[in-house]
Amino acid sequence: MIEARRLHILRAVADHRTVTAAAAALYLTPSAVSQQLTALEQETGHRLVERGARGVRLTPAGEILLSHANAVLAQLERAEAELAAYGAGEAGTVTVAAFATGIAQVVAPAVARLSATAPGIRIRVQDAEGDASLPMVLDRQVDVAVAVEYRGAPPADDPRLTHVPLYAEPFDAVVPVSHRLADGPEVPLAELAKDPWIGPYPGNPCHDVVVLACENAGFQPRLEHLSDDFRAVVALASADVGVALVPRSALRGTDLTGVVVRPVDGVAPTRRVFAAVRRGAEGHPLIRPVLDALHAAAEDA
């Protein structure tokens, strides 16, 4: 008989690619993870993982078992949801991980909405970029992630997750008031090819949006200044040290003294924001109202 707990460990090892990283995510010791993998191999009668200099990879048998593990774990999430519904499930805590502007745009309004419509649900919010929040959901560290599509992100049909689209927003060009393009109604990105740039660190989903937009315009941006805080990005642009692309919602309430904000000429780069939960958990009586409140907040934004 295969234990579901060991299937969860197998998936964590496949996601994190090392026993040490999987153990840290699961709050276990590496030796405990290794022992559980060994026990799982004994249960199945197959070698499931191979260890190498670059970490751990699944064998073909491990890949087969992983595909079934995703289905089994999703079904267990559904079972928990139905049992919670049977037991009323009207009170409890839901943890939401979201990036800063997503918290301001949809999470905080959703919390306010839930305080009136579902007062028994307590929301705990954690600030985390999209590339961090999705693994947190998969590792059961949080219940809901509000994340941004990015290169390398789990796709919408990922068997481990359920995606709920929330909103899409354009990036605007932010240039110093003294910039040669400051007086135009729009900013052609190709005209910024030789400028120094200010932007998020690699790994931040917005970094991918900025770089991809510039690549589509025919150049690689020369990122001389890096910050994941868009207030800092705008402040640096006001100091005339470079240009930037900033999500429109991140400009709300930001001091724009010394800069000019203009739409991008042509097709504007866009970030698409979604909520994600472990597949099967979307019907949980505590999680479903949170997803509905996030969706309603996005429609009102």
Side-chain angles (χ1 to χ4, degrees), residues 7 59 67 73 77 101 104 148 156 205 233 263 284 286 296:
L7 293 179
T59 65
S67 67
L73 294 173
E77 293 283 354
T101 51
V148 177
V233 170
H284 193 286
L286 295 179

Side-chain angles (χ1 to χ4, degrees), residues 3-275:
E3 290 191 14
R5 176 169 57 99
R6 290 173 182 154
L7 293 179
H8 184 59
I9 289 173
L10 178 70
R11 187 163 80 177
V13 170
D15 287 344
H16 294 279
R17 300 187 183 278
T18 71
V19 168
T20 301
L26 297 173
Y27 300 102
L28 297 172
T29 64
S31 62
V33 169
S34 294
Q35 289 170 8
Q36 292 299 318
L37 287 175
T38 299
L40 186 58
E41 290 180 328
Q42 292 172 347
E43 287 174 345
T44 60
H46 292 278
R47 187 178 181 185
L48 303 174
V49 298
E50 292 181 346
R51 292 171 173 81
R54 296 185 178 180
V56 176
R57 71 179 184 86
L58 298 189
T59 65
E63 293 288 354
I64 291 172
L65 184 58
L66 178 64
S67 67
H68 288 284
N70 288 329
V72 169
L73 294 173
Q75 190 61 39
L76 287 174
E77 293 283 354
R78 295 187 189 99
E80 289 183 10
E82 289 188 20
L83 286 170
Y86 176 76
E90 296 177 353
T93 299
V94 176
T95 304
V96 179
F99 57 99
T101 51
I103 292 173
Q105 184 90 343
V106 292
V107 177
V111 171
R113 182 184 299 268
L114 287 166
S115 67
T117 61
I121 299 178
R122 176 174 176 263
I123 306 296
R124 294 178 61 244
V125 179
Q126 297 184 22
D127 189 332
E129 293 298 336
D131 58 326
S133 63
L134 294 176
M136 291 167 72
V137 167
L138 290 171
D139 293 333
R140 304 182 71 90
Q141 297 172 7
V142 301
D143 302 302
V144 181
V146 175
V148 177
E149 291 181 3
Y150 61 95
R151 288 187 284 193
D157 61 352
D158 189 293
R160 302 167 298 171
L161 296 167
T162 293
H163 284 218
V164 178
L166 295 178
Y167 65 93
E169 64 173 327
F171 281 60
D172 289 324
V174 178
V175 301
V177 291
S178 59
H179 195 274
R180 63 189 182 281
L181 299 178
D183 293 333
E186 296 179 328
V187 171
L189 279 187
E191 296 293 325
L192 301 176
K194 295 183 178 180
D195 286 82
W197 278 73
I198 313 156
Y201 281 94
N204 184 316
C206 289
H207 174 91
D208 285 348
V209 175
V210 171
V211 171
L212 184 60
C214 293
E215 289 175 351
N216 289 338
F219 69 97
Q220 284 282 339
R222 180 162 51 92
L223 282 161
E224 293 195 355
H225 310 280
L226 297 172
S227 175
D228 288 334
D229 187 333
F230 285 114
R231 292 170 300 178
V233 170
V234 173
L236 287 169
S238 71
D240 202 7
V241 299
V243 299
L245 289 173
V246 177
R248 191 164 290 172
S249 66
L251 295 170
R252 296 173 186 169
T254 301
D255 184 1
L256 300 179
T257 304
V259 299
V260 169
V261 178
R262 294 287 184 266
V264 173
D265 185 24
V267 179
T270 302
R271 71 171 173 183
R272 291 173 173 80
V273 179
F274 62 94

